[in-house]
Amino acid sequence: METAIILLVGVLISCGLYLMLERNLLRFIFGLILLSNGVNLLIMTAGRLTRAAPSLIPEGEYAPVAELANALPQALVLTAIVIGFGLTVFALVLILRAYERLGTTDGDELSQMIEGEDGDDTSSKFPSSQQAPDYIREPKINPPVLSQVRESKL
Amino acid sequence: MFLGVLLVFLLAFTSPFVIRILGIRYAWFLGLAAFGLTVYFASFLPAVSNGAIVTEQFAWLPSLGINLSFHLDGLSLLFALLISFVGGFIMIYAGGYLKGDQTLGQFYLILLSFMAAMLGLVLSDNLIVMFIFWELTSLTSYFLVAYKHSYESSRNSALQALLVTGSGGLAMLAGFLLLGNIAGSYQISALVAQAELIQSSNLFAPMLILVLLGALTKSAQFPFHFWLPNAMAAPTPVSAYLHSATMVKAGIYLMARLNPALGGGSLWFWLLGIAGALTVLSAGILALKQTDLKKLLAYSTLVALGMLTMLLAVGTSAAVKAAMVFLLAHSLYKAALFMAAGTIDHQTGSRDIREIAGLRKALPVTALAILLASMSLAGLPPKLGFIGKELAYEALIVQPFFLVAAVLANAAMLVVAVLVAIRPFWGRTLKAPRAVKGAPLSLYLGPIVLASLGLIFAIFPDLIELSKLPAVAAVLGKPYEFSLYLFPSSFTAALWLSIITVILGLGLYLIWPRVFALLNRISPQLDIGPAKAYALFITYLPKAAKAATKLIQGETLRRNLGVMMAFSVLLLGFTAFRYNAFANPQFSWSLNAYELFVVLLCAAGAVATVLARTKLMAVTALSVVGFSVALCFILFAAPDLAITQFMVETLLVIIVVLVMIRLPELRRERSFSFLNAVIAVGAGALITGLMLSVLNNPFNPALTQFFEAESVPGGFGRNIVNVILVDFRAIDTLGEIVVLAVAALGVMSLLRPKKEKS
């Protein structure tokens, strides 16, 4: 049964990652949800699967009497489910706000908008000549061909 | 000694403040301080002359073999004296030259730091400490060259100097580390005893090349010579200092310092010899196409450095003696020439030899200083430069190619000397850009004293002989009987060579206008060489970096994500494959029909999410996945998980739908991306494969057994999962709650402005 489950995990992760590589951010979120479901199953499977009793200790006993399901991965996955939920909701609202402010849910377009804001042009910071004391004159030296670099506006 | 270095640093850092109190007198104060330092170093002269070595050591990183150890032998002493003595005149000169500059305090800060770094460099006895001072000189000289930073050419020149010498310095560091590993010590004085061990090592050749790269870039040897003439963008006091006693001499110092340990082999000889000879020849030719006084002098510095490199390549006693005398002579006359050229520039507003003439009446002392100094440059008697050149010829006579290169370059130097000394001062007074005034004392004191010293030393060579010039013995690594004379008793080969040089030089001067025109005509067509290579490198490096960044770190988020996933899959897959993680997979297929149904439902839901055309379809498919995962949890005995999953899934569907209503419909135009599919399926397959291999390994139930055993006695609970969450891992759960709270706060703050608007 483990083999079937990890095949399912593979399918969930593949589908999730494929959606995360799409342009639409809503699809990205769907991919994220699929991915977290897949990973939760994966953690469960890593702790070995069993159809035996849940990890409960019977009344009056101090230790399990029969074979129980592995409790440790369950505890981990419980946390993961809740955290994944928080992450997904936050990301969803973030996308909603981005759409309301910028009018798009296209990840590529958003990236380009950010790129445009960052685009720095350092050439304005250093004017090539300014008022200098009269003993300082432009040295009569052939400058190295650095000026070309600046023109390309890194 | 170290105290002296620290004192100069202290002076440096207090400069901007003290100069406000002392004003322009501060220059004289600094000059006196530097001369005080000279006297301090000179007090070691008697002891060092007799072969003593003064050492000092402070523990710094003893575990790494790095200590602040300093030693003063003949070579260090010669350099320390030159640095402090010439430095004193530079300080005074800078006060006059940059008078009225608002940032003079900062200028002194950097200049003094540079001086301190240079002193530390020549005094340090530890390779790593030396490297630190070495890079400090590169850094401070960057700021010095870029002093007129409002000009683009200044900034570019400074950057060029920094990049060339800095990358050489890094190569040198690598070489030093190799050297330290071979010799087992970073102590420079300990290397000499290990010379045989070092030179027979397998790593000797790469180590030597790396170390010499540092020396050759710093000393501006071919093919790294181009940065030095461009560094003329610095204010003249800086150029005078950089070219005479410091900076470029640091490379020479390193070669001389390591000569006893690394020198003598054929690789040493050929590397340095060829670099030196090519420098001498190319700089000699390039000097003839200049009319700028500072540029003429810059190329003559290159010739001198090439001569020194050739002499150190030869490495015989005669060659080392010649190198040390030549070095002393060059430091004196070059500082004088640069300062005098700067005085002309400062007083007339021009330093182009075609624009200035007849200055001897206005600047008599400067004229005399330049005349004396350029006699040394030309190698004419009775100057120290003459003695140095004679000794060099004597030493190079064993290597005909080097000798020819030296004679030709010295002939060119004679032309430079005449151009520098005669043109600006004799002839009809041309209309200068500015009315010529007499120069103040601070501007001609340094040139005349330094130029006269070359004369005094030459006429009374006993003065140098008395000190036995212990530098020679230090470079040779063995005692050496030193003697010096101005004129040989008979016509030696070297004297004949000098006569040939003078005749050649005078002939060259007569046809100089034609040579000048020819060189300037053909040079634009010959736009190849190291400088061009540097320009191409500096132009295309950022472009290449940008292209590479664009390729790897795409402009969009998903591109980044795709690249990261692809590389993770490749690297992980390759590693796993290499260590046979996928060998002998064990399959366990035993599934009940209803279990199989749940698994297939879940997979179908996932695929449907990918294929969904509308938002609603996608959400429906997504909830199918979520609820079938919950069913899986039930099937495999995890009721707590199933409950949580049901609740979260329900909430999630509600929230997604609520948000989704306000978002636009999924676009129809999306096209299937084969590459993305490959990456995604590859990642999924890799995870599955890795999990198969994980399940093959035996399971270690120790932790689970602990929780099962301790649940009731320790946690007083019968649901083990719950006990783990709220008892054993309670802090983790608290963290989880905090995360959820923060996410909730974030969601609230993101949603609130919208509410206010409506």
Side-chain angles (χ1 to χ4, degrees):
Chain A
M1 55 194 169
E2 271 100 349
T3 312
I5 297 296
I6 56 182
L7 279 176
L8 175 62
V9 167
V11 170
L12 286 176
I13 287 180
S14 293
C15 292
L17 288 182
Y18 182 81
L19 283 172
M20 287 174 79
L21 292 175
E22 293 257 319
R23 285 176 76 128
N24 191 310
L25 287 177
L26 201 55
R27 278 210 161 83
F28 178 89
I29 295 291
F30 295 161
L32 198 64
I33 296 172
L34 285 183
L35 187 73
S36 66
N37 273 325
V39 172
N40 288 347
L41 272 182
L42 184 141
I43 296 173
M44 271 288 284
T45 319
R48 303 300 190 271
L49 297 176
T50 172
R51 298 190 188 91
S55 52
L56 298 170
I57 298 169
E59 203 65 41
E61 299 288 341
Y62 282 93
V65 281
E67 193 205 345
L68 297 183
N70 192 348
L72 184 62
Q74 292 192 23
L76 295 179
V77 171
L78 201 69
T79 309
I81 292 172
V82 178
I83 296 276
F85 169 71
L87 174 72
T88 310
V89 171
F90 184 75
L92 258 174
V93 175
L94 206 58
I95 289 169
L96 180 65
R97 285 295 293 158
Y99 175 68
E100 284 167 356
R101 288 273 312 258
L102 301 166
T104 179
T105 53
D106 185 322
D108 289 11
E109 273 176 32
L110 280 176
S111 297
Q112 274 152 16
M113 281 176 196
I114 293 162
E115 197 107 318
E117 275 169 29
D118 279 359
D120 56 338
D121 182 14
T122 48
S123 62
S124 59
K125 281 183 200 158
F126 298 106
S128 62
S129 71
Q130 60 186 44
Q131 205 58 41
D134 62 343
Y135 61 84
I136 297 177
R137 286 165 295 100
E138 181 82 54
K140 291 170 185 167
I141 281 162
N142 308 326
V145 204
L146 253 175
S147 52
Q148 295 173 8
V149 180
R150 182 107 54 65
E151 280 160 18
S152 69
K153 283 180 190 169
L154 289 173
Chain B
M1 282 177 287
F2 186 46
L3 200 66
V5 177
L6 286 181
L7 213 61
V8 182
F9 271 121
L10 186 73
L11 271 179
F13 291 117
T14 51
S15 281
F17 311 106
V18 181
I19 199 165
R20 284 193 203 143
I21 303 163
L22 290 181
I24 206 65
R25 281 166 297 172
Y26 187 58
W28 292 91
F29 167 74
L30 285 180
L32 287 179
F35 294 142
L37 207 59
T38 316
V39 172
Y40 167 71
F41 282 119
S43 69
F44 290 107
L45 199 54
V48 173
S49 292
N50 292 322
I53 294 174
V54 190
T55 58
E56 259 175 34
Q57 181 156 339
F58 308 94
W60 183 24
L61 298 170
S63 55
L64 294 176
I66 302 169
N67 288 307
L68 286 170
S69 52
F70 298 90
H71 72 158
L72 190 70
D73 64 352
L75 185 64
S76 301
L77 185 59
L78 175 64
F79 271 89
L81 284 173
L82 283 175
I83 291 164
S84 53
F85 186 62
V86 176
F89 288 112
I90 299 286
M91 297 298 161
I92 295 170
Y93 180 84
Y97 190 85
L98 294 172
K99 194 174 172 185
D101 192 323
Q102 292 306 308
T103 54
L104 192 58
Q106 283 96 309
F107 176 79
Y108 275 125
L109 192 161
I110 307 168
L111 189 62
L112 284 165
S113 306
F114 175 73
M115 182 175 168
M118 206 54 216
L119 280 173
L121 166 59
V122 299
L123 292 175
S124 52
D125 190 30
N126 187 295
L127 287 173
I128 305 298
V129 176
M130 185 176 174
F131 167 77
I132 291 168
F133 282 118
W134 179 282
E135 291 296 60
L136 212 52
T137 63
S138 290
L139 275 179
T140 43
S141 66
Y142 167 76
F143 288 112
L144 287 174
V145 174
Y147 184 63
K148 296 182 231 172
H149 53 77
S150 52
Y151 297 109
E152 189 184 357
S153 62
S154 284
R155 299 196 301 270
N156 291 346
S157 300
L159 185 63
Q160 190 181 48
L162 181 69
L163 285 181
V164 174
T165 58
S167 46
L170 289 181
M172 187 183 83
L173 175 63
F176 278 179
L177 294 179
L178 280 178
L179 180 56
N181 272 346
I182 296 170
S185 163
Y186 290 114
Q187 206 74 8
I188 297 172
S189 47
L191 294 176
V192 182
Q194 310 262 32
E196 275 183 31
L197 173 80
I198 294 168
Q199 301 212 9
S200 60
S201 160
N202 290 333
L203 290 171
F204 177 67
M207 182 274 290
L208 185 65
I209 291 170
L210 285 172
V211 170
L212 288 184
L213 263 179
L216 294 179
T217 48
K218 196 81 162 182
S219 280
Q221 294 298 295
F222 189 87
F224 310 111
H225 60 278
F226 53 89
W227 72 263
L228 189 59
N230 285 334
M232 287 294 95
T236 303
V238 173
S239 306
Y241 204 28
L242 253 55
H243 280 249
S244 59
T246 60
M247 190 69 183
V248 292
K249 290 281 165 63
I252 302 294
Y253 170 79
L254 182 72
M255 294 179 220
R257 169 59 68 211
L258 295 177
N259 180 51
L262 308 181
S266 60
L267 186 64
W268 171 277
F269 173 76
W270 287 115
L271 272 178
L272 293 186
I274 289 172
L278 288 178
T279 311
V280 160
L281 283 175
S282 56
I285 294 167
L286 289 172
L288 294 177
K289 59 172 257 202
Q290 309 301 333
T291 56
D292 184 320
L293 277 176
K294 277 178 83 177
K295 278 218 150 185
L296 277 166
L297 294 176
Y299 282 104
S300 76
T301 304
L302 285 178
V303 170
L305 294 170
M307 288 280 284
L308 287 170
T309 309
M310 282 198 297
L311 288 170
L312 288 172
V314 173
T316 57
S317 309
V320 170
K321 175 181 163 188
M324 290 303 117
V325 175
F326 192 88
L327 187 142
L328 177 61
H330 177 254
S331 296
L332 295 176
Y333 78 69
K334 191 49 63 70
L337 280 175
F338 261 112
M339 285 195 266
T343 308
I344 296 174
D345 187 19
H346 191 258
Q347 299 307 112
T348 68
S350 168
R351 49 175 202 250
D352 191 319
I353 55 170
R354 292 169 301 189
E355 289 176 5
I356 41 178
L359 289 175
R360 66 183 184 283
K361 289 207 183 76
L363 302 169
V365 188
T366 308
L368 182 64
I370 277 211
L371 187 68
L372 285 174
S374 33
M375 279 169 72
S376 224
L377 167 65
L380 296 176
K383 291 285 296 186
L384 195 57
F386 171 72
I387 302 178
K389 193 189 58 177
E390 289 290 287
L391 291 174
Y393 282 167
E394 256 171 53
L396 291 177
I397 232 156
V398 287
Q399 296 294 338
F401 174 65
F402 292 175
L403 191 66
V404 171
V407 169
L408 289 178
N410 273 314
M413 285 310 95
L414 190 83
V415 178
V416 171
V418 177
L419 288 176
V420 171
I422 306 297
R423 286 259 173 162
F425 294 101
W426 267 260
R428 195 166 48 84
T429 312
L430 289 178
K431 191 166 169 272
R434 200 185 325 181
V436 180
K437 308 168 288 202
L441 175 65
S442 57
L443 285 189
Y444 63 72
L445 179 70
I448 192 68
V449 173
L450 291 173
S452 314
L453 265 182
L455 185 69
I456 295 167
F457 278 146
I459 296 175
F460 306 105
D462 301 356
L463 285 175
I464 303 177
E465 213 174 301
L466 260 182
S467 74
K468 300 179 191 161
L469 202 60
V472 180
V475 176
L476 286 172
K478 58 188 180 206
Y480 179 73
E481 206 56 48
F482 185 82
S483 68
L484 207 63
Y485 49 82
L486 178 57
F487 289 110
S489 48
S490 62
F491 275 86
T492 57
L495 194 55
W496 281 115
L497 283 167
S498 277
I499 294 168
I500 293 172
T501 310
V502 172
I503 294 169
L504 265 178
L506 287 177
L508 200 57
Y509 178 71
L510 290 178
I511 59 164
W512 177 73
R514 263 181 278 170
V515 176
F516 172 77
L518 178 75
L519 283 173
N520 276 301
R521 206 168 58 242
I522 59 170
S523 62
Q525 272 116 54
L526 290 174
D527 192 16
I528 46 169
K532 181 78 178 169
Y534 170 83
L536 287 176
F537 174 74
I538 214 74
T539 312
Y540 285 104
L541 181 71
K543 286 186 182 167
K546 200 179 178 190
T549 310
K550 207 171 172 180
L551 191 73
I552 300 167
Q553 255 173 283
E555 285 164 347
T556 60
L557 178 67
R558 63 199 192 97
R559 181 84 173 271
N560 278 342
L561 207 59
V563 171
M564 275 197 286
M565 279 181 204
F567 273 91
S568 312
V569 169
L570 285 177
L571 289 175
L572 255 173
F574 173 75
T575 313
F577 188 75
R578 197 158 153 238
Y579 292 100
N580 294 325
F582 304 133
N584 310 318
Q586 304 283 318
F587 300 106
S588 55
W589 294 108
S590 56
L591 273 186
N592 298 327
Y594 56 90
E595 286 167 349
L596 184 66
F597 173 73
V598 170
V599 166
L600 287 179
L601 186 67
C602 187
V607 174
T609 314
V610 175
L611 297 178
R613 289 284 172 86
T614 63
K615 295 184 289 186
L616 201 62
M617 258 173 79
V619 176
T620 314
L622 209 55
S623 53
V624 169
V625 173
F627 287 114
S628 37
V629 168
L631 283 177
C632 282
F633 289 146
I634 290 185
L635 293 176
F636 298 112
D640 301 283
L641 293 194
I643 294 166
T644 317
Q645 178 82 10
F646 275 123
M647 290 200 308
V648 160
E649 201 55 40
T650 312
L651 259 179
L652 196 63
V653 168
I654 293 170
I655 291 172
V656 168
V657 169
L658 277 178
V659 167
M660 221 175 54
I661 304 167
R662 288 148 79 172
L663 287 176
E665 187 51 82
L666 297 176
R667 286 198 195 169
R668 297 221 158 233
E669 27 114 16
R670 79 191 172 86
S671 57
F672 174 74
S673 163
F674 185 69
L675 189 65
N676 286 355
V678 169
I679 294 174
V681 171
L686 180 71
I687 299 277
T688 306
L690 285 176
M691 273 308 290
L692 268 177
S693 131
V694 166
L695 293 176
N696 266 355
N697 289 311
F699 181 65
N700 181 353
L703 265 179
T704 309
Q705 281 164 0
F706 166 81
F707 288 125
E708 283 174 352
E710 291 294 321
S711 181
V712 174
F716 301 101
R718 304 201 170 270
N719 183 334
I720 305 173
V721 177
N722 286 0
V723 172
I724 293 176
L725 282 174
V726 299
D727 201 310
F728 294 115
R729 314 291 312 155
I731 300 284
D732 287 359
T733 309
L734 183 67
E736 178 195 341
I737 292 167
V738 171
V739 169
L740 271 187
V742 169
L745 279 175
V747 169
M748 272 169 64
S749 70
L750 281 171
L751 290 176
R752 188 179 295 159
K754 180 72 186 170
K755 280 182 187 165
E756 281 170 3
K757 250 186 252 168
S758 60

